[in-house]
Amino acid sequence: VVDYLLGKGGKIEGSKKLPKAPIYLAIFKGNTIVVRRFPDLGSNSNYTWPAGEGTGGTLLTVAVDSGHIEIVERLRQCGADVNFRGSKNYGTLYRAIFFDHYDVFRFLLSRGACLNEHEKSALSGLEKNKQTEKYIEFLKENKGCNDKTPPTK
């Protein structure tokens, strides 16, 4: 199906007839078979959909939002930026907390993802929420993240 769509001129950003591109749908649905072929798709792992035309995020933010750790790891291997900030200034680490994907959160931290001041402020308003308690505690115990530490490969 992917080869067919690409052969017919399908693009990473989709089209008017198909606004959600095949790779977006594969990541969102957790289709690792398609995503494993990601470098062969001719796509840019840091491609950003404009906010008015989709998610306003990248392939990585779609994988983080959906909680697909294997796909998050694959996109990171392909060079996806773990500290990407969307149009509302929320990065992948905050999104992992917001969508309650603890394994993705821990992976992103291990690869150098950090919270910016905007996200820290937003988290302080969530501290009383049971869902975010484990994230807040983990960040406190580990003194958050050090944005001067290079990401691990």
Side-chain angles (χ1 to χ4, degrees):
V1 173
V2 173
D3 290 334
Y4 174 79
L5 291 169
L6 291 173
K8 294 290 184 183
K11 298 179 182 176
I12 187 68
E13 62 271 15
S15 66
K16 288 184 180 181
K17 289 183 180 178
L18 186 66
K20 298 291 187 196
I23 189 64
Y24 172 95
L25 296 173
I27 291 169
F28 182 76
K29 296 286 187 182
N31 187 331
T32 56
I33 293 168
V34 171
V35 177
R36 278 189 208 115
R37 294 183 55 227
F38 184 76
D40 300 326
L41 294 174
S43 308
N44 178 343
S45 62
N46 288 311
Y47 175 82
T48 305
W49 281 282
E53 297 176 21
T55 65
T58 64
L59 301 177
L60 182 60
T61 60
V62 173
V64 168
D65 294 356
S66 304
H68 300 298
I69 185 70
E70 185 178 332
I71 295 174
V72 169
E73 290 181 72
R74 182 69 184 133
L75 291 170
R76 175 62 185 98
Q77 290 169 353
C78 292
D81 181 5
V82 296
N83 282 307
F84 169 81
R85 298 282 183 267
S87 57
K88 294 187 178 178
N89 202 20
Y90 291 109
T92 57
L93 196 57
Y94 182 87
R95 292 168 84 110
I97 295 168
F98 184 82
F99 289 105
D100 196 19
H101 299 303
Y102 194 65
D103 56 340
V104 173
F105 165 81
R106 297 283 304 265
F107 174 79
L108 292 168
L109 271 177
S110 75
R111 297 303 186 266
C114 290
L115 296 170
N116 64 19
E117 292 307 314
H118 172 72
E119 294 164 323
K120 289 176 187 175
S121 175
L123 272 181
S124 69
L126 299 175
E127 263 190 79
K128 295 178 183 171
N129 183 334
K130 288 280 186 192
Q131 176 184 325
T132 58
E133 198 170 282
K134 63 186 167 195
Y135 301 98
I136 304 298
E137 285 305 311
F138 183 86
L139 288 169
K140 284 180 182 174
E141 288 171 12
N142 294 281
K143 307 215 182 332
C145 59
N146 180 355
D147 56 8
K148 294 183 183 189
T149 304
T152 49
K153 304 266 177 191

